[in-house]
């Protein structure tokens, strides 16, 4: 199975909004709403930010939102803050009953 | 709040078998609501799903690793384990264990990760 496609890096200024894309296929992102997003600060455990395309777990800031169109899911971070600087990964369930991650996006604020 | 902690050797020789254990606290590994999984991150690379297991023993593996991977569960110890055979330098990575929602397929709790280096 191939990794989902994410931009390798993105940058934004404090207060701005950015959107990270995650492109899959009709065997994963395109067919299921089981897309999740993780924030990963180096040396720490990844943190769930979004599940089921657009749901936020309790405790996650409402500055984080998710959406999907066709084979592409997106994570939008509004009002960028310095603490948002991290690596972000998407993940999807697949028709083979497996999971696949994206290659990751390094966000610089 | 559930907590997960990986343990195992930090160095494994090439061609040998990597073995890691994840100890779960603050929750039961026999819960019907979760799978228990392993994910790894090679240096400078992204996350890679290795596989996951249900408390009953049902397993799901990454096809690219399936021939070398075994995940097992010990409900009496509230632990699950990973073995990866015939390792090479490409298996050097930080290995994470995580709890995986049964219905919606997301990892909601992660261990801190443990670095395993394959080197002679």
């Amino acid at each position: 199975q191939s990794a989902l496609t994410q931009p390798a890096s993105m940058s934004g200024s404090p207060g701005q909004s950015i959107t990270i894309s995650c492109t899959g296929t009709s065997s994963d992102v395109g067919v299921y709403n089981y897309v999740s997003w993780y924030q990963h600060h180096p040396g720490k455990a990844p943190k769930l930010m979004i599940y089921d395309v657009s749901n936020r777990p309790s405790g996650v800031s409402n500055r984080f939102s998710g959406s999907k169109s066709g084979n592409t899911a997106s994570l939008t971070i509004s009002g960028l803050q310095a603490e948002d600087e991290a690596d972000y990964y998407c993940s999807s369930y697949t028709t083979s009953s497996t999971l696949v991650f994206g290659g990751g996006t390094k966000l610089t604020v | 709040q559930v907590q997960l902690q990986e343990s195992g050797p930090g160095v494994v020789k090439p061609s040998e078998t990597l073995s890691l254990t994840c100890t779960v606290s603050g929750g039961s590994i026999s819960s019907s609501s979760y799978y228990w999984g392993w994910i790894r991150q090679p240096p400078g690379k992204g996350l890679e799903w290795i596989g996951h297991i249900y408390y009953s023993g049902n397993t799901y593996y990454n096809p690219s690793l399936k021939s070398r991977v075994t995940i097992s569960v010990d409900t009496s110890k509230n632990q699950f384990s990973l073995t990866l055979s015939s390792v090479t330098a490409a298996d050097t990575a930080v290995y994470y264990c995580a709890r995986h929602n049964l219905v919606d397929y997301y990892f909601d709790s992660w261990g801190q990760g443990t670095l395993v280096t394959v080197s002679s």
Side-chain angles (χ1 to χ4, degrees):
Chain A
Q1 58 187 24
S2 298
L4 306 175
T5 301
Q6 297 181 234
S9 63
M10 298 188 71
S11 64
S13 300
Q16 287 185 332
S17 294
I18 62 102
T19 297
I20 301 173
S21 62
C22 169
T23 301
T25 70
S26 56
S27 296
D28 39 63
V29 175
V31 69
Y32 293 115
N33 286 329
Y34 299 133
V35 176
S36 51
W37 289 89
Y38 303 88
Q39 178 190 65
H40 190 203
H41 288 106
K44 292 194 171 184
K47 177 184 178 182
L48 177 69
M49 305 303 285
I50 295 287
Y51 66 95
D52 291 356
V53 174
S54 60
N55 292 325
R56 270 189 316 275
S58 174
V60 172
S61 171
N62 60 9
R63 297 186 299 105
F64 291 82
S65 61
S67 62
K68 189 186 88 167
S69 177
N71 294 340
T72 299
S74 299
L75 173 71
T76 298
I77 310 173
S78 59
L80 274 175
Q81 299 179 1
E83 66 205 49
D84 299 332
E85 184 163 299
D87 297 323
Y88 290 85
Y89 294 89
C90 60
S91 176
S92 176
Y93 185 62
T94 81
T95 55
S96 300
S97 300
T98 61
L99 295 172
V100 62
F101 282 98
T105 298
K106 183 177 180 62
L107 174 63
T108 301
V109 180
Chain B
Q1 174 139 349
V2 70
Q3 293 187 319
L4 299 92
Q5 179 66 58
E6 306 87 353
S7 59
V11 180
V12 181
K13 290 182 168 56
S15 80
E16 295 191 344
T17 296
L18 178 160
S19 296
L20 295 173
T21 295
C22 182
T23 300
V24 179
S25 58
S28 173
I29 204 168
S30 299
S31 168
S32 60
S33 300
Y34 302 103
Y35 289 112
W36 304 90
W38 290 95
I39 304 99
R40 70 180 183 178
Q41 183 178 32
K45 296 188 177 182
L47 299 174
E48 179 180 33
W49 173 72
I50 298 172
H52 55 255
I53 189 167
Y54 194 54
Y55 77 94
S56 63
N58 288 352
T59 52
Y60 301 84
Y61 298 133
N62 186 322
S64 68
L65 298 170
K66 189 173 183 177
S67 63
R68 299 194 292 131
V69 170
T70 301
I71 298 176
S72 58
V73 63
D74 187 336
T75 56
S76 67
K77 295 182 179 179
N78 228 33
Q79 295 177 333
F80 62 106
S81 299
L82 168 71
T83 61
L84 181 66
S85 63
S86 304
V87 297
T88 69
D91 295 310
T92 293
V94 175
Y95 286 76
Y96 296 96
C97 61
R99 188 177 75 173
H100 177 242
N101 182 278
L102 182 74
V103 175
D104 296 310
Y105 303 100
Y106 56 85
F107 293 101
D108 62 358
S109 295
W110 296 66
Q112 287 297 312
T114 186
L115 174 63
V116 179
T117 301
V118 178
S119 174
S120 55

